[in-house]
Amino acid sequence: MSVVGKEEGEEQQVVNPWEVSAGKGGIDYDKLVDQFGCQRLDDALVARVARLTARPPHRFLRRGLFFAHRDLNEILDLYERGERFYLYTGRGPSSEALHLGHLIPFMFTKYLQDAFKVPLVIQLTDDEKFLWKNLTVEESKRLARENAKDIIACGFDVERTFIFSDFNYVGGAFYENMVKVARCVTYNKVVGIFGFSPEDHIGKISFPPVQAVPSFPSSFPHLFSGNDQLRCLIPCAIDQDPYFRMTRDVAPRIGYQKPSLIESRFFPALQGENTKMSASDPNSAIYVTDSVKEIKTKVNKYAFSGGQDSIELHRKLGANLDVDVPIKYLNFFLEDDNELEHIKKEYKEGRMLTGEVKQRLVAVLSELVARHQRARAQVTEEMVDAFMAVRPLPNMFG
Amino acid sequence: MAATESVGTEVSFVRKEDGEAAAEEQQVVNPWEVSAGKGGIDYDKLVDQFGCQRLDDALVARVARLTARPPHRFLRRGIFFAHRDLSEILDLYERGERFYLYTGRGPSSEALHLGHLIPFMFTKYLQDAFKVPLVIQLTDDEKFLWKNLTVEETKRLARENAKDIIACGFDVERTFIFSDFNYVGGAFYENMVKVARCVTYNKVVGIFGFTPEDHIGKIGFPPVQAVPSFPSSFPHLFSGNDQLRCLIPCAIDQDPYFRMTRDVAPRIGYQKPSLIESRFFPALQGENTKMSASDPNSAIYVTDSAKEIKTKVNKYAFSGGQDSIELHRKLGANLDVDVPIKYLNFFLEDDNELEHIKKEYKEGRMLTGEVKQQLVAVLSELVARHQRARAQVTEEMVDAFMAVRPLPNMFG
C-alpha cells in the first residue's frame, strides 16, 4: 500500500514511522486498517487472551487501545497447543524526555510478558536516530542507554528480557539477517512503503531491514539457537506497521516465519487530537519527569476540553467526549472500568464538570508518574548492563 | 589541494544503454563491469574521466629511494600506473610518520586466477618495503548481495580465498584479514552509518549506476567497502590513532568506491585515503575478451598444473605473431595485442631479459612458440611456488590472520 500523500480538496491522512498527520476529525482508524490490511481486534479475541492467560485482559485491550493485529490468532493457537513465542518491541531513542505516550507499548508489553510468560527483546534504534536526526553517534548511544532506564522502570523481568542498542549489537547473525532481508527489497519497494526519495541518503534507504530482523529468532543466537522457527509477536503503535508489512512479505522468501503484530492507536497530544506532541513544546505532553505541580498545571491549563464554555451550557448540553482529551487520557490510564464508565456518563450528560474530570485525571497521572519516577530512581548502571548483556536466558520460558 | 574531490570530466556512470554513443562505443569501468570499446581500455581517457593522477617515473624513483630498494616490477612496468595523493603518503613517510595499507577481495569463487593475485603481490611488496600494517577485507556480504549464493557459501569462499591470500606471503604480525559477515559491528558499523548519512541515493546512482529496481542491499553496500579506509574502524589495531593515513592498492575499477570515500571523509572528520591503482590483467584470449569462471581457458588459475598451463598458453593465449614463419620474420609481431608479451610484462622479473624478448619478437627474430615457451616456464614456476605456499596454509593460520587482536609490532 503506498504512502498516501496530500491530495487536492480532500486531505489524506499520512501514517508512517516518521509522520502521523490526520485529516479533519482526527485519524480514521477504519480507513487505516483497511489501507494497511491488518485485522481489527474484536471482543472474542480479547476474551480468548483472557481465557488462555487465566487473568483479566489488560485495560488497553478492554478499552480497544490495542485494537488491530496481524495473525494474533496464530500466536494464540500455538500457545494453546503448548508452544512458545517471544515478544519484540522497541524505541527510537531520539530524546531523553519520554512522555506518557512513549510508555504505552512498554506497559502493554510488560503485561504480555507476565501473562504469557515469554521472553522479550527490546531494540533501541540509536542508528536510526543518528540517520534521521542531527545527532552524533555518541549522543544517540547515550540517549539509548538513558531511555533503557525508563524502559526498565516499567518492570520487565531481567531473566526474560534482552535490551539492545543497534550500535552495540549489530553484527554476526543479526547482520547476516539484515543482508538477507535487504536482498529481498528493492528501492522501488521501500519508496512505496516508506515514501523515500532519491535525495534521501542511503542510510535511510537501507535502514528498514534493521528494524525487521529482530522478528527472526536467528538474529539472537545467544537466546534462540536451534529454534529458528520460533514465532514472534510485536506490540507496537500502528505507525510501525509498514516495517512489519515489509518483514512479513520477505520472511517466507528467506525461510523464516512471519511475525505477528498487535497494534495500538495513537496517544493524543494534550492540546487535542489534531495537534502534535513535540519535544519543543513541553506543554504538548505529560513527561515522565514532570512534578505533581507540573502535571496539575498542564492538565488544567492545556488539556483540550470537550466541555461547554459555561457551567449552565455544560449542565444543559453535556460534554463532547469525542474531542475531550482528559477523558481520552482516563481511557488510557484509569484502571477501574466502572469508575471510567461512571465518569463518562456523568460528564456526557452534563452532571460532572470539566474541572472535576481534570482533577481525577491529575490524581491518576500523578500516581502513575510518581510510581514511574520511584522505579526509575532505582535503576542503576549495573542493572542497565544486566539487561543489555549478551547472555543466554535459561529461564526465559519457565 | 582541491577542496572537493577531483572527479575529472565526467562524474556519471557511463552506461551502454544511454544511446548516444551509437557509432562510438563508450568504455564502462565500475566495480561490476569492465568493458572496452574497440582497441581495448583507453587508460588516458579513464584517468581523465575518473580524475586520478598518472604515476610517473619521478614518483617511482622516489618510492625506491624512500624504501631503499628497487621498485617492484609492477611500478617499473607501469602496471600500477595511477594514484590519488600517493605523494602525500610519501611526504608523511619521509617525515617519519606512518600509514597503513588496505586492500581486499570479493570472494565470488574458489578459483583464483593470476589476475586476482596482482594486487596481493604488489601489496606484499608495499608491506615489506614500507614496514606498515595491512588490513584485507573479504566482502562476502557483497558477493551474497550480487550473486545467487547463500550466506554460508560466501563465508566459506571467504575463508578459502584467505588461504590463497596468505600464500602470497603476508606478515601475520602486521596483517589483519577479515570477512564482513564476521567483522561488521561496533566501530566499523558506526562508520558505515556515518558514511551512509553522507551519500544520497542520487549520488550512488551517479557513481555506481544503480537503478530503482536494484535491492536496497546493493544500494546500501558502498559504505562497507569505504570504511576500512578509516583507522577508527579497527579499534583493536589503531585505537587513539584516528588520523592515521591509509593507502589503498587496487585495480582501477575500484576507484568509484574511493572517490566516494574521499568525498565523504572530511565531512565526518576523517582523512582521505590515498590510492595506487593498476591496469586490468588481460584475459588469455585477448584484451577484448573477458576472463570468466565458466570458461577455464580464459585464464591461468592458481590451481592449474604445469601441463594445463602449457596447454592453455600454447592453445589459447592470443598471439600478436604473424600467421606464417616467413611473414613473421619479415614483419615481426604486434606487441600491442600479444597476450604472452603482456603476461611476461606482468610476471618476468628481469627487465633486461624482457626487453630482449620484446625486441627480438617485434623484429621477427623470435617466434611465437619461443615466447610462449618462456611464458610457460615463468608461469609454471610462479604457480608452483604459490601452490607450495598454499599447501602449507593451515586452518590455524587462517584463524591467526583473522583473529581480532592487536598487532603490537605493526610499525616495528
Side-chain angles (χ1 to χ4, degrees):
Chain A
M1 288 259 86
S2 297
V3 163
V4 179
K6 282 202 167 147
E7 280 179 16
E8 297 178 27
E10 166 197 309
E11 259 197 43
Q12 297 256 28
Q13 62 189 9
V14 175
V15 176
N16 68 62
W18 305 283
E19 184 181 357
V20 175
S21 54
K24 296 212 179 307
I27 296 283
D28 183 335
Y29 284 103
D30 287 331
K31 218 170 178 181
L32 193 60
V33 164
D34 199 54
Q35 183 189 332
F36 279 3
C38 41
Q39 319 296 124
R40 292 299 292 234
L41 232 175
D42 59 21
D43 292 343
L45 218 37
V46 172
R48 194 176 173 206
V49 168
R51 199 169 55 246
L52 283 174
T53 56
R55 64 179 69 193
H58 193 280
R59 72 178 174 278
F60 292 165
L61 285 170
R62 304 192 315 260
R63 310 274 168 85
L65 297 167
F66 274 81
F67 78 113
H69 75 98
R70 292 183 185 274
D71 288 346
L72 176 63
N73 34 353
E74 285 191 32
I75 294 290
L76 300 181
D77 289 348
L78 71 86
Y79 186 78
E80 198 162 25
R81 289 197 300 270
E83 286 168 44
R84 301 302 200 153
F85 64 93
Y86 73 103
L87 295 162
Y88 156 39
T89 194
R91 167 162 172 78
S94 57
S95 64
E96 284 201 62
L98 270 77
H99 56 62
L100 296 182
H102 292 136
L103 289 188
I104 306 285
F106 294 108
M107 293 166 74
F108 189 63
T109 302
K110 171 187 163 51
Y111 150 78
L112 290 172
Q113 179 173 66
D114 292 346
F116 287 96
K117 299 182 186 6
V118 286
L120 160 66
V121 300
I122 301 178
Q123 179 182 43
L124 296 165
T125 56
D126 42 6
D127 50 356
E128 182 209 359
K129 289 307 157 188
F130 175 84
L131 289 168
W132 262 265
K133 307 264 178 192
N134 193 22
L135 300 168
T136 66
V137 168
E138 286 62 41
E139 275 165 358
S140 55
K141 284 164 78 169
R142 190 184 64 78
L143 288 174
R145 245 188 107 83
E146 284 306 302
N147 284 188
K149 293 174 186 169
D150 281 286
I151 291 168
I152 290 166
C154 292
F156 294 105
D157 180 354
V158 68
E159 305 268 303
R160 277 205 260 253
T161 306
F162 174 53
I163 302 177
F164 65 100
S165 91
D166 290 343
F167 276 135
N168 283 343
Y169 187 67
V170 163
F174 192 96
Y175 178 65
E176 289 176 21
N177 280 342
M178 279 164 59
V179 178
K180 284 182 180 178
V181 171
R183 192 169 79 168
C184 291
V185 184
T186 63
Y187 171 79
N188 275 334
K189 190 90 193 192
V190 294
V191 165
I193 296 175
F194 298 103
F196 296 142
S197 76
E199 271 310 300
D200 280 323
H201 57 66
I202 57 177
K204 287 187 181 182
I205 286 155
S206 59
F207 175 76
V210 183
Q211 189 159 326
V213 304
S215 314
F216 307 133
S218 58
S219 300
F220 306 100
H222 63 290
L223 298 179
F224 305 128
S225 179
N227 213 342
D228 260 23
Q229 298 302 304
L230 184 67
R231 300 294 293 274
C232 178
L233 175 63
I234 307 174
C236 60
I238 197 167
D239 64 339
Q240 301 297 310
D241 190 84
Y243 277 118
F244 305 114
R245 260 195 331 272
M246 179 198 78
T247 309
R248 287 168 55 91
D249 184 61
V250 169
R253 292 194 266 152
I254 57 177
Y256 291 152
Q257 294 286 343
K258 297 181 192 185
S260 298
L261 273 74
I262 182 164
E263 300 166 292
S264 71
R265 299 170 184 276
F266 301 112
F267 188 71
L270 208 49
Q271 297 167 33
E273 288 272 20
N274 291 339
T275 69
K276 255 195 164 80
M277 278 181 289
S278 161
S280 51
D281 179 3
N283 297 319
S284 59
I286 306 290
Y287 290 90
V288 300
T289 44
D290 284 346
S291 63
V292 172
K293 187 160 191 264
E294 283 167 320
I295 293 173
K296 186 165 177 179
T297 305
K298 285 187 186 183
V299 169
N300 286 334
K301 274 180 106 165
Y302 299 103
F304 186 82
S305 172
Q308 300 301 336
D309 289 334
S310 68
I311 295 185
E312 293 79 20
L313 254 174
H314 184 84
R315 296 229 184 268
K316 183 159 143 190
L317 301 173
N320 177 359
L321 298 197
D322 288 342
V323 302
D324 188 272
V325 168
I327 287 293
K328 291 172 188 288
Y329 274 38
L330 286 171
N331 206 30
F332 275 89
F333 294 117
L334 176 57
E335 172 60 29
D336 189 324
D337 292 344
N338 291 330
E339 191 186 345
L340 178 67
E341 279 320 295
H342 174 77
I343 291 172
K344 278 177 161 175
K345 188 170 151 72
E346 297 297 288
Y347 190 45
K348 181 175 184 170
E349 296 178 8
R351 287 184 297 279
M352 195 178 272
L353 301 177
T354 292
E356 297 171 82
V357 176
K358 286 191 169 188
Q359 195 177 34
R360 187 71 185 102
L361 178 62
V362 167
V364 167
L365 296 184
S366 300
E367 205 220 304
L368 189 148
V369 168
R371 196 171 356 114
H372 183 87
Q373 287 171 0
R374 276 193 307 270
R376 173 68 156 87
Q378 305 208 305
V379 176
T380 60
E381 295 295 333
E382 289 73 26
M383 282 167 71
V384 176
D385 291 339
F387 272 90
M388 296 188 76
V390 175
R391 79 249 179 244
L393 298 174
N395 300 318
M396 59 181 173
F397 292 123
Chain B
M1 185 141 14
T4 56
E5 181 58 13
S6 168
V7 289
T9 56
E10 246 175 74
V11 182
S12 294
F13 173 84
V14 179
R15 295 175 64 83
K16 275 198 166 143
E17 296 90 66
D18 283 349
E20 283 99 55
E24 166 198 308
E25 260 194 42
Q26 298 253 33
Q27 62 190 9
V28 176
V29 176
N30 68 62
W32 304 283
E33 183 180 359
V34 174
S35 53
K38 295 212 179 306
I41 296 284
D42 184 335
Y43 284 103
D44 287 329
K45 216 170 179 180
L46 193 61
V47 165
D48 199 54
Q49 182 187 335
F50 279 2
C52 41
Q53 319 297 122
R54 294 297 294 234
L55 233 175
D56 59 21
D57 291 342
L59 220 38
V60 172
R62 194 176 173 209
V63 169
R65 197 169 58 247
L66 283 173
T67 56
R69 63 179 71 194
H72 194 280
R73 70 176 176 278
F74 291 165
L75 286 171
R76 302 191 316 259
R77 311 275 168 83
I79 287 159
F80 274 82
F81 78 112
H83 74 99
R84 291 184 186 273
D85 288 347
L86 176 63
S87 29
E88 284 192 33
I89 294 288
L90 300 182
D91 289 348
L92 71 87
Y93 186 78
E94 197 161 26
R95 289 198 299 269
E97 286 169 44
R98 301 302 203 155
F99 64 93
Y100 73 102
L101 294 162
Y102 155 39
T103 194
R105 167 165 173 78
S108 56
S109 64
E110 286 202 60
L112 270 77
H113 55 63
L114 295 182
H116 292 136
L117 289 188
I118 307 287
F120 293 108
M121 293 167 73
F122 190 63
T123 302
K124 172 188 162 54
Y125 150 79
L126 290 172
Q127 179 172 65
D128 292 346
F130 287 97
K131 301 187 189 355
V132 286
L134 161 66
V135 301
I136 300 178
Q137 179 182 43
L138 296 165
T139 56
D140 41 8
D141 51 355
E142 181 208 359
K143 288 308 158 188
F144 175 84
L145 289 167
W146 263 265
K147 306 266 178 191
N148 192 21
L149 300 167
T150 66
V151 168
E152 287 60 41
E153 277 167 358
T154 57
K155 287 163 77 170
R156 190 183 64 78
L157 289 173
R159 248 189 103 84
E160 285 306 301
N161 283 188
K163 294 175 187 170
D164 281 285
I165 291 168
I166 290 167
C168 292
F170 294 105
D171 180 355
V172 69
E173 305 267 303
R174 278 206 259 251
T175 306
F176 175 53
I177 302 177
F178 64 100
S179 91
D180 290 341
F181 276 136
N182 283 344
Y183 187 67
V184 164
F188 193 96
Y189 178 65
E190 288 176 20
N191 280 342
M192 280 164 57
V193 178
K194 283 182 181 178
V195 171
R197 192 169 79 168
C198 291
V199 184
T200 62
Y201 171 79
N202 275 334
K203 191 88 193 191
V204 294
V205 166
I207 297 175
F208 298 104
F210 297 142
T211 73
E213 271 309 300
D214 279 324
H215 56 67
I216 57 178
K218 288 187 181 183
I219 287 154
F221 176 76
V224 183
Q225 190 160 324
V227 305
S229 315
F230 306 134
S232 57
S233 300
F234 305 101
H236 63 289
L237 298 180
F238 305 127
S239 178
N241 214 343
D242 261 24
Q243 299 302 304
L244 183 67
R245 300 295 293 274
C246 178
L247 174 63
I248 307 174
C250 60
I252 196 166
D253 63 339
Q254 301 297 309
D255 190 84
Y257 277 118
F258 304 114
R259 263 202 319 280
M260 178 198 79
T261 308
R262 287 169 56 92
D263 186 59
V264 169
R267 291 194 266 151
I268 57 177
Y270 291 153
Q271 294 286 344
K272 298 181 189 183
S274 297
L275 272 75
I276 182 165
E277 301 167 291
S278 70
R279 299 169 184 277
F280 301 113
F281 188 73
L284 207 50
Q285 296 167 35
E287 287 271 21
N288 291 341
T289 69
K290 255 194 166 75
M291 278 181 289
S292 160
S294 52
D295 179 4
N297 297 319
S298 59
I300 306 292
Y301 290 90
V302 299
T303 44
D304 284 347
S305 64
K307 187 160 191 270
E308 282 166 320
I309 294 173
K310 187 168 176 177
T311 305
K312 285 187 186 184
V313 169
N314 285 335
K315 274 181 106 165
Y316 299 103
F318 186 81
S319 171
Q322 301 301 336
D323 289 335
S324 69
I325 294 185
E326 291 78 23
L327 254 173
H328 184 86
R329 296 232 184 266
K330 184 158 141 192
L331 301 173
N334 177 0
L335 298 197
D336 288 342
V337 302
D338 188 272
V339 168
I341 287 293
K342 290 172 188 290
Y343 274 39
L344 286 171
N345 206 33
F346 275 85
F347 294 119
L348 176 58
E349 172 59 31
D350 189 321
D351 293 344
N352 291 330
E353 194 183 341
L354 179 66
E355 279 321 295
H356 174 77
I357 293 171
K358 279 177 162 176
K359 187 166 150 73
E360 296 298 289
Y361 190 44
K362 182 172 184 176
E363 296 178 8
R365 287 185 297 278
M366 195 178 273
L367 301 177
T368 292
E370 297 170 83
V371 176
K372 285 192 170 187
Q373 196 176 34
Q374 291 271 37
L375 179 60
V376 167
V378 167
L379 295 184
S380 299
E381 205 219 303
L382 189 148
V383 167
R385 196 172 357 112
H386 183 89
Q387 286 171 0
R388 277 194 307 270
R390 172 68 155 89
Q392 303 206 308
V393 176
T394 59
E395 295 295 333
E396 289 72 27
M397 282 167 71
V398 176
D399 291 339
F401 273 90
M402 296 188 75
V404 175
R405 78 245 181 244
L407 299 174
N409 299 318
M410 60 182 171
F411 292 121

